[in-house]
Each structure stands twice: as C-alpha cells, then as structure tokens.
Amino acid sequence: MSAASASATSQSLGERRPYVGRFAPSPTGPLHAGSLVAALASWLDARAHQGRWLVRIEDVDGPRCPAGADQFILRQLAAVHLLPDEPPLWQSRRSALYQAALERLAALGWAYPCACSRKDIAQALALRGGPRERHGELVYPGTCRHGLRGRPARAWRLRSTAGRDDDAPLGIGWTDRRLGPQWQDLTREVGDFVLKRADGLWAYQLAVVVDDGEQGITDVVRGEDLADNTPRQMRLQQLLGLPQPRYLHTPLVLGANGEKLSKQNGAQALVLDDPLAALRRAGAALGLPELPAATLADWLAAATQAWGLRWRAARVA
Ligand code: GLU
C-alpha cells in the first residue's frame, strides 16, 4: 500500500449537478462496432437520467486524424439517431484552454518541463535495474523533476507523487459504476505522465480533463480500455480544482481474434445500411435484452427504459 494515498470517490451524493454526459471520439477513422457501443451507452445513460448528451471531437492528435473523419462520425451518429443536445466541440480549437491549465499546474509546482528523449528514459531506467513499461510506455523515472540541468525542454509532465517536494507514492482509489472499487498506485504504475508532448501536441489526459470540467460533465461513460486512465484524470481534476465525474466503463467488443476491436487492429467501419440492426447489436453487447421495436425511435425509447432499470439502482447504491 502506498505511503500516502488519496482516496477520491466520485461526486458525493450530496451535491448533484444536473446530469451531463458525453461521447468523445478521436476521429482517427470512422466509428466501428466497438465505438458505437460506447456512444450508445453514454447516450442511454444521459437519457435515462433525463440529462444532456454532448459530442466532443477529440482531434488533438491532428496527424492521426484523416480529413473528413470527424464529419463522417457525426453522420454515422445521426444515422442511428444519436444526436447531441449542443453543437459538437473540436479539441483542436481549444488549445488556449489547455495552455491555461498547463500554466496553472506549472505555477502550482505540479507540472514541469522535461528534456528527456525516449532513449534518455530507457537509459535512466536501465541504470536503475531495467525498464519499467506500461502498455508500451516507459514509466518515467523522474529525471527532470528537479530541473533540466541546461538541456532544452521537450515535453511537459505532471508530477505523480503525493507531495510536490517528496517522492512518496500516491495511490488513487475510485468506484466505477460497473467495475466496482478500483485502485492504482499512480506513482509506481504510471509515473510522471505527459501533459504536452515533445511534438507540441496536447496529451489526451490534459485535454479530456479540461474539457470535461469546462463542459460540466457529471458522468463519463466510455469503453473499459480507458478505465486505466481514470486515476490520471482524477489527479488532474483534483489539482485543477475541478469536480469529479462518476465513471462507468462499458464492456469491450472483441473481434474474431479475441482482441478488442479498434481502428488499430483493422476494425471495420460501421456499415449503417440497417441502423436498427446496428443498434440492436450494440445493445446486445451492453447486455440489454431483445427489445421489440419497429423503428429507431421506438428501440431507443425501449432501450432507455431498460438501461434505466439496470443502472439507476447501481448509481444510487
Ligand atoms: N477520445 C478517446 C477515444 O476515442 C475517448 C476519450 C474518453 O471518452 O474519455 O478513445
């Protein structure tokens, strides 16, 4: 167990903000069956709570986003009647907000510039007895925590320790509405993570937290592959003084090879010649029963009711 720990629970029951949910696709390609599941779950959860549902295009990693993929995704969502309650936001237009958050974290002493290349990090880790990796990312050994020693800054990182001036590890606990109690030793398992990349692009962790805060998101409903990011995002929320949303991570859709469906492993773009069948399949992946419905609107209404029965109890518990 960590020497210091911060047990952060989701939004306390006392202060209920009006429900605002979101679907936040990265437009690296069209939606596939797995991303429709996440979109549908966040829409159903918002509707079951009489909340608002927003769409945010997470295009901070511009070079990975082909032209037109964002509009294609919006058309795919419209084809299955998942329509946002406000015009979508594009993260690529919101750099000023991310810059302000970074400056705030730096002024507070939590964010620091880092001069290390991947090779520098691998060498520093080797000196300490071997590389520590997490999902292909090296766990940063903290080389630049105490200054750049004359080297030029490349990226910006967040200090992952419990204190600004000590190395005590920080554990973060949280309760997912579907997965139950979760725990991560942020310092040892993740390390000081990147907020702004060496290529000048904003890191997903910072952009998502700033936007969820600025858009008043109360409930994050997204695929289980992202659950592991939650403690990083909760830490940023704490340090930026933002309220913590509730989290619900949905089951992943697996491809024929048993791996998670993703654009990276060639998941097929969702074909929407039969939108009702696509929704039925997404509903089945979410564990919804077969719902008798002849139209999209009927199916979505029945699914909202079924979702409410299934998840409302879990939320209040
Ligand atoms: N943009 C992320 C993705 O498409 C999702 C972010 C989130 O829901 O927090 O994987």
Side-chain angles (χ1 to χ4, degrees), residues 22-28 35 56-59 91 204 208 212 220-223 225-226 233 247 249 260 263:
R22 75 345 181 241
F23 175 54
S26 302
T28 51
S35 31
R56 186 169 71 224
I57 302 291
E58 300 213 319
D59 57 348
Q91 286 192 325
Y204 156 65
V208 84
D212 282 344
V220 171
V221 178
R222 61 185 177 190
D225 54 326
L226 293 164
Q233 295 171 13
Y247 288 92
H249 288 90
K260 177 207 148 196
K263 290 160 210 158

Short mmCIF file of all heavy atoms in Angstrom, two decimals, residues 22-28 35 56-59 91 204 208 212 220-223 225-226 233 247 249 260 263, ligand 1:
data_model
loop_
_atom_site.label_atom_id
_atom_site.label_comp_id
_atom_site.label_asym_id
_atom_site.label_seq_id
_atom_site.Cartn_x
_atom_site.Cartn_y
_atom_site.Cartn_z
N ARG A 22 -21.29 12.65 -22.19
CA ARG A 22 -20.65 12.96 -23.48
C ARG A 22 -20.12 11.71 -24.15
O ARG A 22 -19.84 10.70 -23.52
CB ARG A 22 -19.60 14.03 -23.31
CG ARG A 22 -18.21 13.81 -22.70
CD ARG A 22 -17.91 12.63 -21.94
NE ARG A 22 -16.56 12.58 -21.42
CZ ARG A 22 -15.64 11.65 -21.73
NH1 ARG A 22 -15.92 10.65 -22.54
NH2 ARG A 22 -14.44 11.67 -21.21
N PHE A 23 -20.00 11.83 -25.47
CA PHE A 23 -19.28 10.83 -26.26
C PHE A 23 -18.13 11.60 -26.90
O PHE A 23 -18.34 12.68 -27.45
CB PHE A 23 -20.20 10.23 -27.32
CG PHE A 23 -19.50 9.28 -28.25
CD1 PHE A 23 -18.78 8.21 -27.77
CD2 PHE A 23 -19.58 9.45 -29.63
CE1 PHE A 23 -18.12 7.33 -28.63
CE2 PHE A 23 -18.94 8.58 -30.50
CZ PHE A 23 -18.21 7.52 -29.99
N ALA A 24 -16.92 11.07 -26.77
CA ALA A 24 -15.74 11.85 -27.14
C ALA A 24 -14.84 11.07 -28.10
O ALA A 24 -13.75 10.64 -27.73
CB ALA A 24 -14.99 12.24 -25.88
N PRO A 25 -15.29 10.86 -29.33
CA PRO A 25 -14.48 10.04 -30.25
C PRO A 25 -13.22 10.76 -30.74
O PRO A 25 -13.24 11.97 -30.94
CB PRO A 25 -15.44 9.81 -31.43
CG PRO A 25 -16.36 10.99 -31.41
CD PRO A 25 -16.53 11.36 -29.96
N SER A 26 -12.16 9.99 -30.90
CA SER A 26 -10.97 10.50 -31.59
C SER A 26 -11.18 10.19 -33.06
O SER A 26 -11.32 9.01 -33.42
CB SER A 26 -9.71 9.78 -31.11
OG SER A 26 -9.57 9.93 -29.73
N PRO A 27 -11.22 11.20 -33.94
CA PRO A 27 -11.57 10.92 -35.34
C PRO A 27 -10.38 10.38 -36.14
O PRO A 27 -9.97 10.96 -37.14
CB PRO A 27 -12.04 12.28 -35.84
CG PRO A 27 -11.25 13.26 -35.03
CD PRO A 27 -11.01 12.62 -33.68
N THR A 28 -9.84 9.25 -35.65
CA THR A 28 -8.74 8.63 -36.39
C THR A 28 -9.28 7.72 -37.49
O THR A 28 -8.51 7.10 -38.22
CB THR A 28 -7.85 7.81 -35.42
OG1 THR A 28 -8.70 6.93 -34.67
CG2 THR A 28 -7.12 8.71 -34.44
N SER A 35 -16.98 1.35 -31.07
CA SER A 35 -17.21 2.75 -30.69
C SER A 35 -18.70 3.06 -30.66
O SER A 35 -19.14 3.91 -29.86
CB SER A 35 -16.43 3.73 -31.56
OG SER A 35 -16.23 3.27 -32.86
N ARG A 56 -17.98 15.45 -28.34
CA ARG A 56 -16.72 16.21 -28.41
C ARG A 56 -15.76 15.47 -29.32
O ARG A 56 -15.50 14.28 -29.12
CB ARG A 56 -16.15 16.32 -27.01
CG ARG A 56 -14.94 17.20 -26.92
CD ARG A 56 -14.59 17.47 -25.48
NE ARG A 56 -14.05 16.32 -24.82
CZ ARG A 56 -14.39 15.91 -23.60
NH1 ARG A 56 -15.31 16.56 -22.90
NH2 ARG A 56 -13.85 14.84 -23.07
N ILE A 57 -15.28 16.14 -30.33
CA ILE A 57 -14.36 15.52 -31.28
C ILE A 57 -12.93 15.69 -30.73
O ILE A 57 -12.42 16.82 -30.64
CB ILE A 57 -14.49 16.18 -32.68
CG1 ILE A 57 -15.94 16.07 -33.20
CG2 ILE A 57 -13.50 15.57 -33.66
CD1 ILE A 57 -16.40 14.68 -33.56
N GLU A 58 -12.31 14.58 -30.37
CA GLU A 58 -11.00 14.62 -29.71
C GLU A 58 -9.89 14.50 -30.76
O GLU A 58 -9.28 13.45 -30.93
CB GLU A 58 -10.94 13.55 -28.64
CG GLU A 58 -12.03 13.78 -27.60
CD GLU A 58 -11.68 13.36 -26.20
OE1 GLU A 58 -11.06 12.31 -26.03
OE2 GLU A 58 -12.03 14.11 -25.26
N ASP A 59 -9.68 15.62 -31.42
CA ASP A 59 -8.72 15.64 -32.54
C ASP A 59 -7.43 16.36 -32.16
O ASP A 59 -6.84 17.03 -33.00
CB ASP A 59 -9.37 16.27 -33.78
CG ASP A 59 -9.88 17.68 -33.50
OD1 ASP A 59 -9.94 18.08 -32.32
OD2 ASP A 59 -10.20 18.41 -34.46
N GLN A 91 -11.57 19.59 -30.15
CA GLN A 91 -10.46 19.90 -29.25
C GLN A 91 -9.36 20.70 -29.94
O GLN A 91 -8.66 21.47 -29.30
CB GLN A 91 -9.87 18.60 -28.68
CG GLN A 91 -10.77 17.98 -27.63
CD GLN A 91 -10.10 16.86 -26.86
OE1 GLN A 91 -9.30 16.12 -27.41
NE2 GLN A 91 -10.44 16.73 -25.59
N TYR A 204 -3.82 13.61 -24.43
CA TYR A 204 -5.23 13.26 -24.18
C TYR A 204 -5.62 13.54 -22.73
O TYR A 204 -6.69 14.10 -22.46
CB TYR A 204 -5.42 11.78 -24.55
CG TYR A 204 -6.57 11.09 -23.87
CD1 TYR A 204 -7.89 11.48 -24.11
CD2 TYR A 204 -6.35 10.04 -22.97
CE1 TYR A 204 -8.94 10.84 -23.47
CE2 TYR A 204 -7.39 9.40 -22.34
CZ TYR A 204 -8.68 9.81 -22.58
OH TYR A 204 -9.72 9.18 -21.95
N VAL A 208 -8.78 16.02 -22.04
CA VAL A 208 -10.05 15.42 -21.63
C VAL A 208 -10.51 15.98 -20.28
O VAL A 208 -11.70 16.26 -20.08
CB VAL A 208 -9.90 13.87 -21.62
CG1 VAL A 208 -9.30 13.35 -20.34
CG2 VAL A 208 -11.20 13.17 -21.87
N ASP A 212 -13.88 18.05 -19.91
CA ASP A 212 -14.95 17.51 -19.07
C ASP A 212 -15.32 18.54 -18.00
O ASP A 212 -16.49 18.74 -17.68
CB ASP A 212 -14.51 16.18 -18.40
CG ASP A 212 -14.58 14.99 -19.36
OD1 ASP A 212 -15.24 15.11 -20.42
OD2 ASP A 212 -13.97 13.95 -19.06
N VAL A 220 -19.04 10.19 -16.94
CA VAL A 220 -18.24 9.70 -18.07
C VAL A 220 -18.61 8.24 -18.28
O VAL A 220 -18.48 7.42 -17.38
CB VAL A 220 -16.74 9.85 -17.76
CG1 VAL A 220 -15.91 9.15 -18.82
CG2 VAL A 220 -16.36 11.33 -17.65
N VAL A 221 -19.13 7.95 -19.46
CA VAL A 221 -19.47 6.56 -19.83
C VAL A 221 -18.66 6.27 -21.08
O VAL A 221 -18.83 6.93 -22.11
CB VAL A 221 -20.98 6.43 -20.10
CG1 VAL A 221 -21.33 5.01 -20.54
CG2 VAL A 221 -21.79 6.82 -18.86
N ARG A 222 -17.75 5.31 -21.01
CA ARG A 222 -16.82 5.05 -22.13
C ARG A 222 -16.33 3.62 -22.04
O ARG A 222 -16.59 2.92 -21.05
CB ARG A 222 -15.67 6.06 -22.09
CG ARG A 222 -14.86 5.96 -20.82
CD ARG A 222 -13.79 7.04 -20.73
NE ARG A 222 -13.08 6.94 -19.46
CZ ARG A 222 -12.23 7.84 -18.99
NH1 ARG A 222 -11.99 8.94 -19.69
NH2 ARG A 222 -11.62 7.66 -17.84
N GLY A 223 -15.56 3.19 -23.02
CA GLY A 223 -15.10 1.80 -23.09
C GLY A 223 -14.11 1.46 -21.97
O GLY A 223 -13.35 2.31 -21.50
N ASP A 225 -11.42 -0.06 -22.01
CA ASP A 225 -9.99 0.11 -22.30
C ASP A 225 -9.47 1.43 -21.76
O ASP A 225 -8.26 1.60 -21.60
CB ASP A 225 -9.75 0.03 -23.82
CG ASP A 225 -10.60 0.99 -24.61
OD1 ASP A 225 -11.75 1.26 -24.21
OD2 ASP A 225 -10.12 1.50 -25.64
N LEU A 226 -10.37 2.37 -21.46
CA LEU A 226 -9.92 3.67 -20.97
C LEU A 226 -9.94 3.75 -19.44
O LEU A 226 -9.50 4.75 -18.86
CB LEU A 226 -10.80 4.78 -21.56
CG LEU A 226 -10.64 4.96 -23.07
CD1 LEU A 226 -11.78 5.78 -23.64
CD2 LEU A 226 -9.31 5.62 -23.40
N GLN A 233 -6.67 11.10 -14.68
CA GLN A 233 -7.63 12.19 -14.92
C GLN A 233 -8.17 12.72 -13.60
O GLN A 233 -8.34 13.92 -13.41
CB GLN A 233 -8.72 11.69 -15.86
CG GLN A 233 -8.11 11.38 -17.22
CD GLN A 233 -9.03 10.68 -18.20
OE1 GLN A 233 -10.23 10.60 -17.99
NE2 GLN A 233 -8.46 10.16 -19.28
N TYR A 247 -17.97 7.56 -13.06
CA TYR A 247 -17.44 6.82 -14.21
C TYR A 247 -18.16 5.49 -14.38
O TYR A 247 -18.44 4.80 -13.40
CB TYR A 247 -15.94 6.55 -14.03
CG TYR A 247 -15.10 7.79 -14.18
CD1 TYR A 247 -14.76 8.56 -13.07
CD2 TYR A 247 -14.67 8.21 -15.44
CE1 TYR A 247 -14.00 9.73 -13.21
CE2 TYR A 247 -13.92 9.37 -15.58
CZ TYR A 247 -13.59 10.12 -14.46
OH TYR A 247 -12.85 11.27 -14.61
N HIS A 249 -17.51 2.30 -17.06
CA HIS A 249 -16.76 1.77 -18.22
C HIS A 249 -17.49 0.56 -18.78
O HIS A 249 -17.79 -0.39 -18.05
CB HIS A 249 -15.32 1.48 -17.80
CG HIS A 249 -14.52 2.74 -17.59
ND1 HIS A 249 -14.44 3.38 -16.37
CD2 HIS A 249 -13.82 3.50 -18.46
CE1 HIS A 249 -13.70 4.48 -16.51
NE2 HIS A 249 -13.31 4.57 -17.77
N LYS A 260 -9.60 -6.71 -28.50
CA LYS A 260 -10.53 -5.59 -28.52
C LYS A 260 -10.61 -5.03 -29.94
O LYS A 260 -9.59 -4.85 -30.60
CB LYS A 260 -9.98 -4.52 -27.57
CG LYS A 260 -10.78 -3.28 -27.54
CD LYS A 260 -9.93 -2.07 -27.17
CE LYS A 260 -10.48 -0.87 -27.89
NZ LYS A 260 -9.64 0.28 -27.97
N LYS A 263 -9.60 0.65 -34.25
CA LYS A 263 -9.19 1.05 -35.59
C LYS A 263 -7.79 0.52 -35.88
O LYS A 263 -7.45 0.18 -37.00
CB LYS A 263 -9.21 2.57 -35.71
CG LYS A 263 -10.61 3.13 -35.68
CD LYS A 263 -10.61 4.60 -35.32
CE LYS A 263 -11.88 4.99 -34.60
NZ LYS A 263 -11.74 6.19 -33.79
N1 GLU B 1 -11.09 10.10 -27.41
C1 GLU B 1 -11.00 8.87 -26.69
C2 GLU B 1 -11.11 7.69 -27.65
O1 GLU B 1 -11.70 7.83 -28.71
C3 GLU B 1 -12.08 8.70 -25.65
C4 GLU B 1 -11.94 9.65 -24.55
C5 GLU B 1 -12.90 9.46 -23.40
O2 GLU B 1 -14.04 9.02 -23.58
O3 GLU B 1 -12.51 9.84 -22.30
O4 GLU B 1 -10.61 6.63 -27.35
#
